[in-house]
């Protein structure tokens, strides 16, 4: 008997949290593409819906359950129309909650963690075998011995002018506030050869900028093609040799792993952009110690000094946690002092939120919400003022901007300058994916705007320069 097999099914992935999750979501789509699943922006008519979750923020788990409540209604509507909608929870909440998710939300067909999504097609087959949605959902939250990256297909499509490339995952540092070592598992680095191949494929598909990703990206120590162990500095130097790769960035890094070679690379590799996200979390040695960060505020200052000696125009960004258990007024004052001394181009700051299962969550000396809010406001005021000053200082400069998307206003494109600032400019669509010099005219709280001063010569557009014969000879 001939059964009709649907040629195309729809996959909708909703992504929460960090860039690592954005990358993983794209790879989930790559894994399912050969099985007839095409990515879709629409959730209501999807055959497979994946919530790729994040566990860092407070109420993350509750948000997932309320989203699942909405999805249940859509799944019921699909069933009324005779369609089967599969619902999956992926990412760090899935890893942390595991079986509990299918117990609390029986609507969920599959639960899988960040280390098992290469097995997704197999999970889908098992879930489809569930008797019309009855019976237990399929849960796969192991940390398998096999390397996930060995089992992922090549990317089915390019990522555009600015792409992410995951080079490292997991973390062994166990900061006392953080769930990552539990949800993402032990530190693991991909072999350099695989990374270089992926980078070359991205560049061939039109990518000019690659951001190397990892929870602890500068702890990278992968096998190099020469049989040696490569650190991040070595890897960046090799990537910089790829023709057409104009920009390299990496995130997120830890001060403890800022080794000599990586610091030197900031001075020696022009493609390595002069912007670094280097989280410090707190300026107080006492708090840094109870956070188990493994460095002091003075160590951090020294690292920044060395980085700035290597690359004087380096701009810095950081993460901060305020109201960590036991943080006193003096500790918080030390954080403000460090921020004033370093001077940040941009930063993220959070109120401490107890994550179940982490050591800091069971410390008795938790601060009140009011105290945390006051501190967060004071810190953000300072950081916002620094960001504004940094943006204003760009006015009058000319920056190479890589245009990544259309702006909200017609005729406007938006891209990023070397220092990660968003830059808006009037520009034709043909400059999407092109790096162009922009004279910065305005610096706002969150972005810059300016006018294009040079246009890359485009084969189908007449050059704005006079023909060669009319140019003044050198
Ligand atoms: N509470 C508040 N902020 C946290 N972060 C991680 N865990 C917590 C927590 N329990 C912040 C840190 C980290 C960033 C990704 O999220 O600043 O660098
Ligand atoms: Fe979490 Fe980063 Fe600390 Fe690792 S180094 S435990 S990922 S905050």
């Amino acid at each position: 008997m001939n059964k009709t097999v649907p040629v195309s099914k729809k996959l909708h992935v909703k992504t929460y949290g960090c860039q690592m999750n954005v990358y993983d979501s794209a790879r989930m789509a790559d894994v399912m593409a050969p099985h007839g699943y095409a990515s879709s922006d629409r959730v209501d008519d999807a055959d497979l819906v994946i919530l790729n979750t994040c566990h860092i923020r407070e109420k993350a788990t509750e948000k997932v359950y309320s989203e699942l409540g909405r999805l249940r209604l859509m799944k019921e509507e699909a069933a009324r129309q005779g369609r089967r909608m599969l619902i999956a929870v992926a990412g760090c909440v899935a890893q942390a909650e595991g079986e509990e998710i299918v117990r609390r939300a029986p609507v969920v067909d599959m639960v899988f963690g960040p280390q098992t999504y290469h097995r997704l097609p197999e999970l889908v087959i098992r879930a489809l075998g569930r008797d019309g949605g009855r019976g237990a959902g399929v849960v796969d939250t192991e940390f398998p011995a096999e390397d996930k990256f060995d089992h992922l297909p090549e990317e089915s499509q390019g990522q555009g002018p600015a792409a992410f490339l995951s080079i490292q995952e997991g973390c062994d540092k166990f900061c006392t506030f953080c769930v990552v070592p539990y949800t993402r598992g032990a530190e693991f680095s991909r072999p350099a050869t695989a990374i270089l191949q992926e980078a070359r494929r991205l560049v061939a598909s039109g990518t000019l900028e690659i951001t190397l990703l990892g929870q602890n990206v500068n702890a990278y120590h992968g096998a190099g093609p020469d049989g040696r162990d490569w650190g991040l500095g070595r890897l960046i130097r090799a990537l910089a040799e790829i023709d057409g790769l104009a920009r390299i960035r990496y995130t997120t890094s830890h001060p403890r792993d800022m080794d000599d070679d990586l610091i030197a690379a900031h001075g020696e590799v022009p493609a390595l952009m002069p912007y670094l996200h280097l989280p410090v979390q707190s300026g107080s040695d006492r708090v840094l110690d109870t956070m188990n960060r493994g460095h002091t505020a003075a160590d951090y200052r020294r690292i920044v000094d060395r980085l700035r000696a290597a690359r004087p125009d380096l701009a810095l960004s950081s993460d901060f946690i305020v109201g960590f258990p036991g943080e006193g007024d003096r500790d918080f004052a030390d954080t403000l002092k460090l921020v004033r001394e370093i001077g940040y181009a941009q930063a993220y700051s959070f109120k401490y939120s107890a994550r179940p299962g982490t050591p800091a969550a069971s410390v008795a000396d938790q601060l009140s919400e009011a105290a945390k809010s006051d501190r967060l406001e004071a810190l953000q005021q300072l950081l916002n003022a620094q960001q504004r000053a940094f943006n204003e200082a760009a006015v009058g400069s000319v920056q190479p901007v890589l245009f990544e998307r259309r702006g909200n206003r017609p005729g406007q494109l938006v891209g990023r300058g070397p220092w990660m600032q968003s830059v808006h400019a009037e520009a034709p669509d043909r400059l999407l994916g092109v790096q162009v010099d922009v004279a910065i005219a305005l610096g706002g709280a969150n972005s810059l705007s300016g006018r294009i001063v040079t246009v890359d010569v485009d084969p189908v557009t007449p050059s704005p320069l006079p023909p060669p014969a009319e140019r003044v000879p050198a």
Side-chain angles (χ1 to χ4, degrees):
M1 191 179 67
N2 262 338
K3 265 193 176 175
T4 318
V5 180
V7 280
S8 179
K9 294 192 167 197
K10 294 190 185 114
L11 163 68
H12 178 85
V13 188
K14 181 164 179 180
T15 310
Y16 301 78
C18 65
Q19 286 154 334
M20 201 85 178
N21 269 10
V22 175
Y23 179 88
D24 285 347
S25 293
R27 304 319 312 273
M28 288 175 201
D30 288 339
V31 170
M32 292 313 293
H35 299 270
Y37 283 79
S39 293
S40 160
D41 290 341
R42 276 181 62 180
V43 59
D44 55 332
D45 68 348
D47 300 284
L48 170 59
V49 179
I50 302 176
L51 302 182
N52 192 12
T53 62
C54 168
H55 201 239
I56 293 252
R57 301 279 157 261
E58 199 164 14
K59 302 206 179 78
T61 312
E62 290 318 307
K63 279 185 199 146
V64 171
Y65 283 113
S66 62
E67 183 69 31
L68 287 172
R70 283 189 286 276
L71 285 176
R72 184 169 60 83
L73 302 178
M74 286 187 204
K75 183 170 178 157
E76 285 166 1
E77 179 55 31
R80 272 193 290 278
Q81 296 171 10
R83 289 187 294 114
R84 180 97 184 261
M85 178 190 268
L86 288 181
I87 296 178
V89 181
C92 292
V93 172
Q95 190 66 44
E97 293 274 296
E99 304 261 347
E100 177 63 15
I101 296 185
V102 290
R103 260 199 297 277
R104 242 183 100 176
V107 67
V108 173
D109 299 281
M110 286 173 283
V111 175
F112 54 94
Q115 303 310 331
T116 47
Y117 64 77
H118 56 299
R119 301 176 181 167
L120 191 48
E122 185 191 317
L123 298 181
V124 168
I125 291 166
R126 277 166 58 199
L128 282 171
R130 281 177 78 203
D131 179 19
R134 288 181 289 276
V138 181
V139 178
D140 186 355
T141 51
E142 277 181 48
F143 289 107
E146 82 244 19
D147 174 4
K148 168 180 74 188
F149 290 103
D150 284 346
H151 292 77
L152 290 173
E154 287 185 7
E155 318 74 51
S156 57
Q157 53 194 25
Q159 292 184 46
F164 296 127
L165 201 173
S166 171
I167 67 164
Q168 178 281 340
E169 272 196 79
C171 180
D172 296 335
K173 298 221 166 44
F174 290 92
C175 298
T176 54
F177 53 82
C178 184
V179 289
V180 166
Y182 310 97
T183 59
R184 291 269 172 176
E187 208 268 311
F188 165 83
S189 295
R190 291 177 70 186
T193 313
I195 295 166
L196 290 165
Q197 275 168 2
E198 192 169 327
R200 283 192 202 101
R201 284 198 299 270
L202 285 167
V203 172
S205 74
T207 291
L208 268 77
E209 172 177 314
I210 291 181
T211 301
L212 305 173
L213 292 181
Q215 268 92 28
N216 236 236
V217 73
N218 59 337
Y220 178 81
H221 59 97
D226 55 4
R228 298 197 179 173
D229 200 52
W230 282 17
L232 184 58
R234 181 72 192 83
L235 179 67
I236 285 171
R237 290 171 205 272
L239 285 163
E241 282 170 21
I242 298 177
D243 236 11
L245 181 58
R247 296 172 162 202
I248 302 170
R249 304 182 188 275
Y250 62 91
T251 196
T252 285
S253 44
H254 194 294
R256 263 164 69 187
D257 295 313
M258 224 55 232
D259 66 27
D260 293 349
D261 187 47
L262 182 55
I263 291 175
H266 276 275
E268 293 162 9
V269 180
L272 185 55
M273 290 291 96
Y275 173 91
L276 177 62
H277 182 64
L278 190 63
V280 66
Q281 315 293 355
S282 168
S284 152
D285 288 346
R286 217 175 55 81
V287 172
L288 286 169
D289 187 42
T290 52
M291 284 177 165
N292 191 33
R293 291 290 291 175
H295 65 83
T296 62
D299 293 333
Y300 184 85
R301 285 185 183 91
R302 264 193 299 276
I303 292 163
V304 170
D305 286 348
R306 292 182 58 212
L307 281 160
R308 283 181 166 156
R311 180 87 204 223
D313 62 345
L314 187 81
L316 283 148
S317 152
S318 179
D319 291 339
F320 295 92
I321 296 178
V322 298
F324 189 74
E327 183 189 75
D329 288 339
R330 296 245 315 260
D331 297 311
F332 180 61
D334 284 345
T335 297
L336 295 178
K337 182 163 172 267
L338 182 76
V339 171
R340 280 193 203 97
E341 284 170 14
I342 301 285
Y344 288 97
Q346 207 246 268
Y348 304 90
S349 43
F350 314 99
K351 287 192 249 184
Y352 169 71
S353 111
R355 313 313 294 137
T358 58
S362 48
V363 172
D365 201 1
Q366 303 284 333
L367 274 76
S368 71
E369 268 311 297
K372 289 189 214 174
S373 299
D374 287 351
R375 285 184 186 166
L376 187 67
E377 202 187 314
L379 176 61
Q380 289 188 340
Q381 241 177 46
L382 176 58
L383 290 168
N384 290 344
Q386 291 191 340
Q387 182 171 346
R388 185 172 270 279
F390 184 73
N391 288 347
E392 284 169 0
V395 174
S397 69
V398 172
Q399 296 192 5
V401 173
L402 173 57
F403 286 117
E404 292 173 36
R405 60 183 173 85
R406 293 194 185 93
N408 291 334
R409 281 199 229 135
Q412 191 187 53
L413 296 183
V414 186
R416 286 192 191 275
W419 295 276
M420 271 307 262
Q421 292 145 301
S422 284
V423 184
H424 302 247
E426 301 274 314
D429 271 4
R430 71 184 167 83
L431 293 183
L432 271 174
V434 178
Q435 189 166 238
V436 178
D437 278 353
V438 174
I440 307 299
L442 270 173
N446 295 309
S447 64
L448 310 176
S449 57
R451 274 183 311 277
I452 288 176
V453 292
T454 59
V455 176
D456 261 40
V457 180
D458 175 327
V460 296
T461 314
S463 163
L465 299 174
E470 294 172 31
R471 284 184 207 154
V472 182

